[in-house]
């Protein structure tokens, strides 16, 4: 573990660094208290980092998992070793579609060539995933800025900037791009219990960008929307089904209900690698249940009895009919339904 630069204004340190052989990531569990860079030396290191939220956010999980497979192929390019690495990575977290998508892509690229060429093939495919992801981010941001039009007071949930996505970003990058064009842009940031990606990560990114923002507790969102303080809600997503139902960080569905009740736009922004057309509806999306300790504890303090029974679903599903638009690098689904989602896919 190497200490990185102390917190300061300006561009955030890169969430992932790959030098062709070695992979380092910014440890997102400790931001904003510290900026630590962690080296991940094996596929199992990568799987553990994904599981424990050292790295997180659907697009970034895909990028890092791709590099996990590249490291595995360099360590042992045999069929069994690659299958074991792929299984370990795939099982790290169930909800973000990008994880299995990236693992399967790099695995297929490696298996398509002779054993002595697999390390290079896997590395090339993993690097292509990172490059495509960055390009996708830039393209979706352009489209989403147009979709949001004159909205200036935006509400967001969880963390969807470079920390979650790599260079291109998604929903949060849309907000910062809008702020660069329009001085009046202001963001309400939901803290995003239980592990506070909004409070810890989104505010850290917005402060570095010098953006106008306020942190709110998740429970304040519906009332502020109803009071007319929000023009649009914009968030990322982890997995969209073929019918346009969308899984994202737990709490998103409640914001969508509030937005619909007040008639303001609710917009998802993310890459097509987060769309899983094999699932006919959101009911089939696997929702990760995480450790009870995440709910019993907040900010390092026990906030319940130590053995209080807990439910901790990390995601929820927003039905397509509540979604105004789903913006990707390949286009915009609006309205969101089976036909418009299918039109986004190759
Ligand atoms: O549990 P996390 O922090 O990985 O959850 C992340 C989110 O829910 C993001 O909103 C999502 O990955 C979209 S980022 C484009």
């Amino acid at each position: 573990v190497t200490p990185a630069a102390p917190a300061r204004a300006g561009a955030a340190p890169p969430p992932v660094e790959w030098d062709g052989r070695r992979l380092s990531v910014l440890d997102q569990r400790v931001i904003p208290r510290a900026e630590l860079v962690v080296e991940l030396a094996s596929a199992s290191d990568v799987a553990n980092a994904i599981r424990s939220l050292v790295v997180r956010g659907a697009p970034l999980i895909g990028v890092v998992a791709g590099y996990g497979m590249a490291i595995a192929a360099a360590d042992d390019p045999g069929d069994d070793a690659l299958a074991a690495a792929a299984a370990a990575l795939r099982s790290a977290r169930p909800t973000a579609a990008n994880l299995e998508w990236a693992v399967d892509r790099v695995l297929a690229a490696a298996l398509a060539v002779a054993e002595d060429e697999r390390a290079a093939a896997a590395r090339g495919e993993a690097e292509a995933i990172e490059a495509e992801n960055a390009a996708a981010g830039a393209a979706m941001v352009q489209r989403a800025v147009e979709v949001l039009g004159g909205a200036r007071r935006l509400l967001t949930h969880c963390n969807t900037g470079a920390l979650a996505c790599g260079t291109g970003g998604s929903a949060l990058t849309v907000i910062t791009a809008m702020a660069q064009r329009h001085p009046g842009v202001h963001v309400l940031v939901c803290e995003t219990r239980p592990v506070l990606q909004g409070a810890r990560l989104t505010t850290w990114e917005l402060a570095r960008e010098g953006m106008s923002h306020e942190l709110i507790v998740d429970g304040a969102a519906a009332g502020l929307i109803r009071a007319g303080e929000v023009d649009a809600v914009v968030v990322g997503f982890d997995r969209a089904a073929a019918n346009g139902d969308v899984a994202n960080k737990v709490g998103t569905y409640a914001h969508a209900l509030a937005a619909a009740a007040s008639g303001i736009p609710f917009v998802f922004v993310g890459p097509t690698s987060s769309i899983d057309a094999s699932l006919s509806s959101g009911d089939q999306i696997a929702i990760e249940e995480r450790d009870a300790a995440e709910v019993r504890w907040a900010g390092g303090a026990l906030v319940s009895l130590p053995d209080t029974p807990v439910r901790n679903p990390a995601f929820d599903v927003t039905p397509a009919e509540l979604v105004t638009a789903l913006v990707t690098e390949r286009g915009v689904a609006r309205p969101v339904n089976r036909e418009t989602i299918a039109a986004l896919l190759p």
Side-chain angles (χ1 to χ4, degrees):
V1 173
T2 319
R8 60 183 151 56
V16 177
E17 282 186 290
W18 168 253
D19 69 1
R21 210 164 51 87
R22 279 195 309 261
L23 178 66
S24 319
V25 296
L26 200 54
D27 185 345
Q28 300 194 28
R29 296 169 307 179
V30 298
I31 293 171
R33 282 180 289 112
E35 294 171 22
L36 299 177
V37 175
V38 184
E39 188 173 330
L40 306 177
S42 65
S44 90
D45 276 3
V46 174
N48 289 334
I50 292 171
R51 188 175 298 108
S52 62
L53 308 183
V54 169
V55 285
R56 39 133 321 266
L60 196 76
I61 288 173
V63 168
V64 168
Y67 286 133
M69 286 302 296
I71 293 169
D75 285 347
D76 180 347
D79 288 9
D80 291 349
L82 286 178
L89 285 162
R90 277 194 212 101
S91 68
R93 293 188 77 191
T95 304
N98 311 60
L99 174 56
E100 68 211 48
W101 169 84
V103 167
D104 291 349
R105 245 182 90 164
V106 178
L107 181 63
L111 294 180
V113 296
E115 250 185 51
D116 61 346
E117 294 167 14
R118 286 180 175 174
R123 189 176 67 232
E125 192 69 11
E127 289 169 355
I129 287 173
E130 184 176 18
E132 285 169 29
N133 183 63
M140 72 183 81
V141 165
Q142 264 321 107
R143 295 179 191 281
V145 166
E146 284 161 30
V147 166
L148 287 165
R152 299 288 177 264
R153 300 167 307 160
L154 303 164
L155 183 138
T156 195
H157 191 72
C158 199
N159 171 264
T160 58
L163 285 174
C165 309
T167 335
S170 72
L172 194 64
T173 326
V174 173
I175 295 173
T176 50
M178 288 181 74
Q180 280 155 11
R181 295 164 205 209
H182 311 289
V185 171
H186 180 75
V187 198
L188 292 177
V189 179
C190 294
E191 61 177 357
T192 319
R193 270 286 276 153
V195 296
L196 302 169
Q197 291 94 331
R200 296 185 301 103
L201 307 176
T202 301
T203 60
W204 181 79
E205 288 190 307
L206 290 173
R208 281 181 171 269
E209 300 274 346
M211 287 252 337
S212 168
H213 65 283
E214 291 167 307
L215 179 65
I216 60 171
V217 298
D218 299 332
L224 292 172
I225 290 171
R226 182 165 184 273
E229 293 200 27
V230 179
D231 298 326
V233 180
V234 54
V235 293
F237 64 99
D238 288 83
R239 190 182 295 252
N243 70 340
D245 292 349
V246 185
N248 188 47
K249 179 53 54 193
V250 67
T252 301
Y253 175 41
H255 302 325
L257 287 168
S262 289
I264 63 166
F266 190 94
V267 177
F268 282 107
V269 184
T272 50
S273 48
S274 299
I275 299 177
D276 180 356
S278 76
L279 303 182
S280 93
S281 87
D283 295 343
Q284 295 166 340
I285 297 176
I287 300 295
E288 178 182 15
E289 291 265 355
R290 292 185 61 85
D291 201 282
E294 291 183 348
V295 178
R296 294 186 187 129
W297 291 74
L302 187 62
V303 293
S304 69
L305 295 173
D307 56 354
T308 292
V310 160
R311 281 296 303 277
N312 188 14
F315 299 92
D316 59 26
V317 173
T318 299
E321 58 269 23
L322 294 181
V323 187
T324 310
L326 184 137
V327 181
T328 73
E329 79 283 9
R330 294 175 58 89
V332 179
R334 180 175 50 181
V336 178
N337 56 40
R338 227 170 260 289
E339 291 68 39
T340 57
I341 293 289
L344 297 174
L345 300 174

